[in-house]
């Protein structure tokens, strides 16, 4: 029979699984305490959260969850697994995780559930190349702004020419 502490941990895990926009599982075998702290801070900067829980408790939380895609992720829970939760931007913590991995070879991404869809390691590596929400919004604003700025330069060009013509006429009358 499970004790109260484990029941509370499973309850908290279920809440996190339900709230998260993305859940990434990574094998952290060989990760030093200093590197783990660096990784946690990078993930936190990208509005994510890292969590290490017993695999059996995570499996119980997944089984009790309503998300069917999470059931596929249970196979990823073997070995020393770190879970990265994202509650705002689904991709930003995954990018932070891969940025951290650039010069490290001991952290291994197992898979991820992103926006309710299970993704294998290969798919997660492709997804990390998607531009962030802020980048996409800035590109959209730039493309929306470009016709407006073109219109402004065209209309100001007409006014500028008119003023130049008036100036040259006034100079001719003076001369």
């Amino acid at each position: 029979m499970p004790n109260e502490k484990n029941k509370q941990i499973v309850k908290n895990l279920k809440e996190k699984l339900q709230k998260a926009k993305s859940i990434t599982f990574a094998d952290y075998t060989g990760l030093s305490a200093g590197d783990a702290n660096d990784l946690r801070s990078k993930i936190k900067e990208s509005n994510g959260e890292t969590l290490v829980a017993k695999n059996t408790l995570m499996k119980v939380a997944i089984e009790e969850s309503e998300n069917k895609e999470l059931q596929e992720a249970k196979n990823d829970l073997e070995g020393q697994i770190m879970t990265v939760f994202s509650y705002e931007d689904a991709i930003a913590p995954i990018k932070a995780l891969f940025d951290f991995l650039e010069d490290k070879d001991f952290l291994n991404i197992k898979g991820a559930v992103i926006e309710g869809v299970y993704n294998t390691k290969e798919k997660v590596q492709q997804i990390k190349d998607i531009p962030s929400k802020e980048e996409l919004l800035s590109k959209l604003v730039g493309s929306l702004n470009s016709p407006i700025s073109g219109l402004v330069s065209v209309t100001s060009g007409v006014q500028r020419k008119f003023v130049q013509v008036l100036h040259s006429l006034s100079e001719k009358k003076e001369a």
Side-chain angles (χ1 to χ4, degrees), residues 123-135:
K123 284 185 182 178
V124 173
Q125 288 178 332
Q126 292 173 349
I127 289 171
K128 76 167 172 68
D129 295 329
I130 294 174
S132 70
K133 185 177 179 180
E134 289 78 22
E135 290 175 64

Side-chain angles (χ1 to χ4, degrees), residues 100-167:
F100 180 79
L101 288 175
E102 280 183 2
D103 56 341
K104 314 273 191 275
D105 60 347
F106 45 77
L107 201 62
N108 182 19
I109 305 295
K110 297 283 213 159
V113 177
I114 302 170
E115 297 286 344
V117 178
Y118 177 75
N119 298 280
T120 61
K121 176 183 179 175
E122 293 76 25
K123 284 185 182 178
V124 173
Q125 288 178 332
Q126 292 173 349
I127 289 171
K128 76 167 172 68
D129 295 329
I130 294 174
S132 70
K133 185 177 179 180
E134 289 78 22
E135 290 175 64
L136 291 173
L137 287 174
S138 67
K139 286 180 182 179
L140 176 67
V141 168
S143 64
L144 290 174
N145 192 25
S146 104
I148 295 169
S149 61
L151 179 67
V152 167
S153 18
V154 167
T155 56
S156 67
V158 171
Q159 292 172 345
R160 195 175 321 113
K161 293 280 186 191
F162 181 70
V163 169
Q164 288 174 350
V165 167
L166 287 177
H167 182 69

Side-chain angles (χ1 to χ4, degrees), residues 4-47:
E4 282 302 313
K5 181 180 175 188
N6 286 347
K7 286 180 183 179
Q8 187 62 37
I9 291 172
V10 169
K11 181 182 173 191
N12 289 340
L13 287 173
K14 280 180 17 184
E15 289 173 4
K16 289 178 187 298
L17 290 171
Q18 205 167 20
K19 282 190 330 186
K21 288 190 178 183
S22 73
I23 305 153
T24 308
F25 301 101
D27 186 345
Y28 68 95
T29 305
L31 188 69
S32 70
D35 285 337
N37 288 334
D38 292 344
L39 177 60
R40 277 191 196 96
S41 66
K42 274 194 171 219
I43 299 293
K44 192 172 185 175
E45 286 172 11
S46 64
N47 295 322

Side-chain angles (χ1 to χ4, degrees), residues 73-122:
K74 284 194 307 188
N75 299 331
D76 294 336
L77 297 174
E78 293 180 16
Q80 294 180 315
I81 300 299
M82 172 186 291
T83 309
V84 178
F85 295 98
S86 172
Y87 303 113
E88 293 175 19
D89 184 358
I91 297 178
I94 294 172
K95 286 183 176 233
L97 187 60
F98 276 98
D99 287 345
F100 180 79
L101 288 175
E102 280 183 2
D103 56 341
K104 314 273 191 275
D105 60 347
F106 45 77
L107 201 62
N108 182 19
I109 305 295
K110 297 283 213 159
V113 177
I114 302 170
E115 297 286 344
V117 178
Y118 177 75
N119 298 280
T120 61
K121 176 183 179 175
E122 293 76 25

